[in-house]
Amino acid sequence: VVLSCPLDVQAEHPPGPPLSLDEPAPVPPAPDPDALGDVADLLAEARRPIILAGRGAVSSGAGDALEALGERIGALMATSANGNGLFAGSPYSLGIAGGFATPEAAELLASADVVVVFGASLNMWTTRHGTLLDPEARIVHVDVDPTRIGAHHPADLPLVSDCRTAALELAAALDERGVQRTGLRTPEVAARLAGSKWADQPYDDAGTDEAIDPRTLTRALDGILPRQRTVAVDSGHFMGWPAMYLQVPDPAGFLFAQSYQSVGLGLAGAIGAAVARPDRVTVACVGDGGLLMAAGELETLVRLSLPVLVVVYDDAAYGAEVHHFGADAPGASTVRFPDADIAGMAAGVGAEAVTVRRTEDLAAVRDWLARRDGPLVVDAKVVPGVVASWLEEAFRAH
C-alpha cells in the first residue's frame, strides 16, 4: 500500500498534543484454567510427545520454559523454519520440522502421539503438506492470537496464551500432578539423533571440475565458519541447503526471507543483521537470480565496509521454476540465463570476490575470516541438476 501525500501536507504539524510513544505493550491473555487443565491431563498420559515451536515461541522468550517442559514430559523438540535454532545444542532436538527434516527426524515426528505446537502455524511447509504427522496424533495448539489456531491444521486442544506463560503454567500443573515422564528421551533416541544430522546423510556427490555440488559446498562452509554466526537465507530452490546444513547457535542466528514468498530479499536482511550483530559472522545465502535482483546492495556492503560473506548458489537459472516445469518444457528458456560473472560484478563495486567450483577454492573464505575487513562474495558455480528433496515433495503435493 502506497500513500502519496503532497509535500506541503507532509510538512504540516498535526493539531493537538503529540501522540505518546510510551503506551505499555498489551498484556497477553492468560490461559483459560479449564483448557490448561485439559492440556495438562493429555500431556500426563502422552507416551511419545513432541514440542514444536515457531516464531511466536521465539518472540515470547519461551525457549528455556519449553526446554523444561520437554524434560518433564519426555518430549522431543522441533521447530518451524522461523524457530530454527531455538533448541540448538539439545540432544533431543529434531531440528526443523517439514521438508528440511532429516529422515530420522521425520520418522520420529510421525511417531508422535501428542504434538504441542507453540507459536507455529502448522502450515504446509512445516507438515510436509499434511503428510508428516500421524493423523491419529492429538494436536495441542498454543498461540496468543486465537485466529491462528487451527488456521492451517486442525487442533484438538486450542490454548490461547503467550507461549512462555503457557509453558510455565503447564509445567506447574504437571508438577502438581506429580508427572515426570521419560517419553522419547531415552539414550537410544539421543544416539539416533546424534548420528543422523544432515551432515551424516550419504549422497552421491555430483560435482565436476566446472561445478560444485551444493550439498558439498554447504557442508564445507559449515566446517569453515565459526559457530557464532548469523545465516540470512533468500528464497529459491537453493534455500534448503543452508537451512539443512548450516548450523546456527540460536534463533537470532537464522533469518528466513522465504516467509515473504519473494525472491531477492535475503541480501538486505543480511545487511541489517551485520549492522545489528557485528559480534557474529553474517552469511548471506542467495541464489544467482535473487542476487541479480538485489545487485545494488553489493555497493551498500562495500560502502558500509560490512564484513558479510555472500554465498551465491549460481546455477544460471531460477532453479525452482526449471525443476518445477522441467528443463525441456516450453518456455523454460525464460527462467534460464547466460552464466554471469558475479564475482567480477562484485569486484567492480569494490568487493572482494572469488569464483568457487571445488572445495579447494573455499580457501579464500578461510583467509577472509582471519581479516573480515569488508564483504566477500563467493560465486559458487553449483551443479544445476541436483534437485532438493523438499522441492520434489512440494511438486508431488501439487
Side-chain angles (χ1 to χ4, degrees):
V1 176
V2 177
L3 176 62
S4 181
C5 289
L7 291 176
D8 60 331
V9 174
Q10 295 181 41
E12 287 291 325
H13 293 283
L19 296 175
S20 172
L21 300 180
D22 297 323
E23 292 294 327
V27 178
D32 177 78
D34 291 336
L36 188 83
D38 290 342
V39 175
D41 290 340
L42 177 64
L43 295 182
E45 300 300 324
R47 293 174 298 141
R48 299 180 304 280
I50 285 178
I51 289 174
L52 198 163
R55 187 195 302 276
V58 173
S59 62
S60 71
D64 57 345
L66 292 176
E67 288 274 17
L69 178 62
E71 184 175 356
R72 178 170 289 277
I73 63 176
L76 300 182
M77 316 298 282
T79 71
S80 67
N82 285 314
N84 185 26
L86 186 60
F87 306 122
S90 168
Y92 297 106
S93 172
L94 298 172
I96 302 175
F100 300 154
T102 65
E104 195 77 24
E107 183 179 328
L108 287 165
L109 282 160
S111 75
D113 60 346
V114 175
V115 180
V116 193
V117 182
F118 286 88
S121 65
L122 278 188
N123 60 28
M124 63 180 181
W125 304 106
T126 305
T127 65
R128 287 190 179 178
H129 302 269
T131 66
L132 188 60
L133 304 179
D134 186 337
E136 300 299 318
R138 303 292 301 280
I139 306 296
V140 178
H141 198 163
V142 182
D143 203 291
V144 73
D145 183 351
T147 66
R148 297 189 181 190
I149 296 177
H152 296 278
H153 192 288
D156 297 291
L157 291 177
L159 188 60
V160 179
S161 173
D162 168 76
C163 292
R164 179 174 175 80
T165 302
L168 291 172
E169 295 202 13
L170 281 170
L174 291 165
D175 187 45
E176 291 176 358
R177 290 164 169 76
V179 175
Q180 182 68 61
R181 299 179 66 90
T182 300
L184 288 168
R185 293 200 170 203
T186 65
E188 292 78 16
V189 170
R192 287 172 63 185
L193 291 174
S196 63
K197 308 299 183 187
W198 274 114
D200 304 313
Q201 304 300 316
Y203 64 92
D204 294 326
D205 193 312
T208 67
D209 288 341
E210 297 301 315
I212 190 170
D213 189 304
R215 297 163 293 187
T216 302
L217 167 71
T218 318
R219 285 177 60 174
L221 285 170
D222 188 59
I224 293 171
L225 293 168
R227 177 70 172 162
Q228 291 301 312
R229 63 182 75 159
T230 303
V231 179
V233 184
D234 204 337
S235 182
H237 169 244
F238 77 92
M239 68 185 182
W241 311 129
M244 293 152 69
Y245 289 102
L246 289 184
Q247 302 174 76
V248 293
D250 52 39
F254 191 70
L255 305 178
F256 199 51
Q258 169 68 5
S259 298
Y260 293 97
Q261 293 281 289
S262 176
V263 174
L265 303 178
L267 191 53
I271 289 172
V275 171
R277 294 297 303 267
D279 55 310
R280 292 185 173 187
V281 173
T282 301
V283 186
C285 297
V286 302
D288 51 330
L291 185 281
L292 292 171
M293 284 185 177
E297 302 294 1
L298 294 175
E299 188 277 337
T300 307
L301 288 171
V302 173
R303 176 164 33 87
L304 299 180
S305 298
L306 292 176
V308 174
L309 176 65
V310 182
V311 182
V312 186
Y313 290 76
D314 186 354
D315 62 354
Y318 290 114
E321 284 69 28
V322 170
H323 299 309
H324 182 71
F325 295 107
D328 299 323
S333 60
T334 61
V335 290
R336 290 182 177 277
F337 30 82
D339 186 25
D341 182 9
I342 290 175
M345 182 173 66
V349 295
E352 184 179 352
V354 62
T355 299
V356 169
R357 302 181 188 274
R358 294 169 296 276
T359 54
E360 293 83 356
D361 299 329
L362 292 173
V365 176
R366 292 188 177 89
D367 294 341
W368 174 82
L369 284 170
R371 294 178 279 106
R372 292 182 61 204
D373 50 359
L376 172 63
V377 177
V378 172
D379 182 10
K381 305 296 185 181
V382 298
V383 178
V386 178
V387 184
S389 58
W390 66 266
L391 194 66
E392 292 180 320
E393 289 169 357
F395 294 160
R396 284 195 297 271
H398 289 291

